[in-house]
Amino acid sequence: MFNKTHLVDKTVLLILAGRVINSLGGFVTIYFVLHYLNDKLQGHYYTFLNLIGFSVFFEFGLSTLIIQLISHHVRDTYFQKQRLVGPESSLNQFLTLVKNILVHAFFLAIFMALSLGVLGGILLEKSATLYLPWLLLVLVYCLSFFINTAINIIEGTGKINDVAIARMLSTLVSIPTLWLCLSSHLGVYALVIQAIANVITLSAWLLSQYGLFIRQALNQHISIKDFFSYLKSVFPLQKRLSVSFLSIYMGAQVYVPLMFALGQVELAGKLGVTLQAFNAINGFAITWINSKLALFGASISKGERLKVYAQFKSLFGTSLLVLILLLLILWTLFFALNQTNSPYLSRFLSAKYILLFSITAIGIHVYTSINTYLLSFKLDPLFKLNLLRIIFLFTSICVIYVLKEVSYIFGIYLINTVLIGMLGAIYVLHQFHTKILGKNEQ
């Protein structure tokens, strides 16, 4: 069994440090948004922020798939002075995989740019002045996706600590850049400039630390037959991952753009800033789980399924306690704002909705933890559940749009995250272990 000292090892500590910076930065960003943007601009800001999240569908789960693929194929190779070395056959096989992934990401980035550009054009049709910053954000974000693909490849090789440092550095550069832009009254262009700062920082790190490896991979010859063979091998899981990520997006981020489309710009801003606060908390708490995805995959490839399950249970218990503690702290902050009659409190949703989001935060955490754990097996047993969530959400969104009744959003959000998402994931996890691990191994 894994020793419990691994619950907060160097890897987790590094990623936690990055998440602390990111979460605290998120709360400071909320202050800058509330202080420097009016209600309408706040709505525009969070519409952009949530709409760009739709990119998770157009990347077809490649980010998660990369870590699984690389961690399962990296066995006999290792880094030496920025270059990958190892037995010739293993090295060629691995570099061919990396080159295929990079080519795949390049075409997906182009598809993503075209799709998000059209999607933004439809949603922002009545707000023509917002379309230029949207296009700029899409272009920079798609470039960022390609760069992050290379970084995810490096993470999959086991260089988790290096990648954690790089992402922490990126956060330390991009978040203050966002604050500076918001305080300069640049509005939604602040998101564009932040994305540019992120791309520059990560590119500089990638080229300085692993530039020779990237060049080594790009110089690897692959045939069209090799590439299509690779696509054929990854498409089944990628298709399932797309459904998984689309269900997550529709369950969490689609509501802000929906409110914007219905003309509720200020309410979209209130929902956006409230969701950002809860996302910052959940993003920090889930670190105990998602920081281990590559290690889970490597252990499973060695047949150590019981070992991984034991660690998952310990990590999940810790992360859930952290989430509950952070929720209590958040409620204390909201109470303090209320007691001091802060004008900023009116820019959030009311107390009853904050209570609802506290309940759904636990549901989201349980679902995300189970989803991450199960994906490390290179399987997607939550596929049918995610498909059910998409059908439910798509139907609900259509009803809301036709009836123009945005208040239904909150009940739908609760049903999707807790009754369908959390309880469904728990049931699937139990069935998965009964079938895959066996009753005696649970």
Side-chain angles (χ1 to χ4, degrees):
M1 296 292 175
F2 285 89
N3 191 299
K4 286 193 176 182
T5 56
H6 285 88
L7 291 178
V8 189
D9 59 16
K10 184 178 179 181
T11 299
V12 174
L13 282 175
L14 276 172
I15 298 177
L16 277 178
R19 287 299 175 93
V20 167
I21 295 170
N22 203 39
S23 296
L24 291 176
F27 281 106
V28 177
T29 299
I30 289 174
Y31 165 77
F32 276 85
V33 168
L34 299 181
H35 190 74
Y36 290 104
L37 301 182
N38 58 35
D39 291 356
K40 188 175 181 179
L41 285 175
Q42 179 179 325
H44 294 162
Y45 177 90
Y46 284 107
T47 298
F48 270 45
L49 203 58
N50 285 270
L51 190 58
I52 200 69
F54 196 59
S55 61
V56 298
F57 172 70
F58 297 116
E59 70 177 59
F60 293 99
L62 185 63
S63 298
T64 300
L65 185 61
I66 287 169
I67 297 176
Q68 296 175 15
L69 286 172
I70 297 298
S71 63
H72 280 77
H73 291 85
V74 72
R75 293 182 185 178
D76 299 324
T77 57
Y78 58 94
F79 281 103
Q80 188 177 78
K81 296 181 179 179
Q82 293 192 19
R83 292 181 64 86
L84 202 67
V85 297
E88 186 175 352
S89 59
S90 299
L91 184 61
N92 284 331
Q93 185 180 24
F94 186 74
L95 289 175
T96 297
L97 173 62
V98 173
K99 178 70 173 286
N100 281 324
I101 291 173
L102 291 174
V103 173
H104 191 185
F106 175 75
F107 286 113
L108 282 180
I110 294 174
F111 176 66
M112 189 188 302
L114 294 173
S115 302
L116 289 174
V118 172
L119 182 64
I122 295 171
L123 185 66
L124 303 172
E125 182 181 4
K126 296 179 181 179
S127 306
T129 56
L130 295 175
Y131 194 56
L132 176 58
W134 170 250
L135 281 181
L136 292 174
L137 181 62
V138 167
L139 292 173
V140 177
Y141 195 86
C142 291
L143 178 58
S144 175
F145 163 70
F146 184 76
I147 293 167
N148 273 293
T149 296
I151 292 175
N152 287 332
I153 289 170
I154 292 166
E155 182 177 4
T157 65
K159 298 293 183 179
I160 304 173
N161 294 349
D162 288 359
V163 171
I165 293 171
R167 288 180 174 147
M168 190 189 309
L169 178 63
S170 173
T171 300
L172 288 171
V173 172
S174 63
I175 289 184
T177 300
L178 177 64
W179 297 340
L180 179 62
C181 293
L182 287 173
S183 62
S184 300
H185 303 284
L186 294 180
V188 290
Y189 281 98
L191 290 171
V192 179
I193 298 172
Q194 181 196 26
I196 292 172
N198 180 61
V199 165
I200 292 172
T201 305
L202 289 178
S203 298
W205 175 84
L206 182 64
L207 293 175
S208 65
Q209 299 299 314
Y210 293 94
L212 292 178
F213 165 65
I214 298 300
R215 190 180 306 166
Q216 187 181 12
L218 291 175
N219 288 334
Q220 181 74 10
H221 173 73
I222 61 169
S223 64
I224 295 177
K225 183 180 178 181
D226 289 336
F227 182 63
F228 279 100
S229 176
Y230 154 81
L231 289 179
K232 185 178 179 180
S233 68
V234 301
F235 181 73
L237 182 56
Q238 197 171 21
K239 177 180 64 177
R240 288 174 170 265
L241 286 172
S242 298
V243 172
S244 173
F245 283 108
L246 182 60
S247 72
I248 292 171
Y249 171 79
M250 291 184 68
Q253 293 181 287
V254 73
Y255 302 113
V256 175
L258 177 61
M259 284 184 173
F260 181 89
L262 291 173
Q264 301 289 332
V265 179
E266 293 183 8
L267 186 58
K270 289 183 178 183
L271 175 60
V273 73
T274 305
L275 281 174
Q276 184 178 11
F278 282 96
N279 288 342
I281 287 174
N282 235 328
F284 177 79
I286 199 65
T287 302
W288 270 265
I289 305 296
N290 60 20
S291 65
K292 294 296 183 180
L293 180 59
L295 298 180
F296 282 171
S299 296
I300 289 168
S301 69
K302 299 174 185 176
E304 300 174 340
R305 293 178 174 179
L306 283 175
K307 199 175 183 181
V308 171
Y309 182 50
Q311 189 185 34
F312 168 72
K313 289 193 294 185
S314 294
L315 293 171
F316 174 73
T318 303
S319 66
L320 188 60
L321 287 174
V322 171
L323 175 65
I324 293 171
L325 176 62
L326 292 174
L327 287 173
L328 292 174
I329 293 173
L330 183 62
W331 268 96
T332 302
L333 290 174
F334 280 124
F335 178 76
L337 289 174
N338 184 58
Q339 291 297 107
T340 56
N341 295 316
S342 172
Y344 294 141
L345 191 60
S346 64
R347 306 281 289 277
F348 291 87
L349 293 174
S350 62
K352 65 178 182 180
Y353 294 120
I354 292 173
L355 176 60
L356 180 145
F357 281 120
S358 299
I359 296 170
T360 57
I362 295 174
I364 291 169
H365 185 79
V366 172
Y367 169 84
T368 306
S369 299
I370 293 174
N371 186 49
T372 302
Y373 166 68
L374 293 178
L375 286 175
S376 64
F377 285 84
K378 291 185 71 177
L379 299 170
D380 186 18
L382 292 178
F383 177 75
K384 291 181 180 178
L385 176 64
N386 290 327
L387 200 57
L388 174 63
R389 293 179 74 195
I390 290 174
I391 294 170
F392 169 74
L393 287 167
F394 182 78
T395 304
S396 302
I397 289 168
C398 290
V399 171
I400 292 170
Y401 190 80
V402 170
L403 298 180
K404 312 294 182 184
E405 188 56 69
V406 295
S407 62
Y408 291 171
I409 284 176
F410 303 103
I412 290 167
Y413 188 75
L414 178 65
I415 293 170
N416 176 62
T417 54
V418 178
L419 298 182
I420 299 178
M422 182 182 77
L423 297 182
I426 293 172
Y427 173 77
V428 171
L429 177 65
H430 174 74
Q431 294 297 310
F432 178 80
H433 281 152
T434 300
K435 182 180 179 180
I436 303 298
L437 298 183
K439 293 181 179 179
N440 296 328
E441 294 184 354
Q442 293 185 54

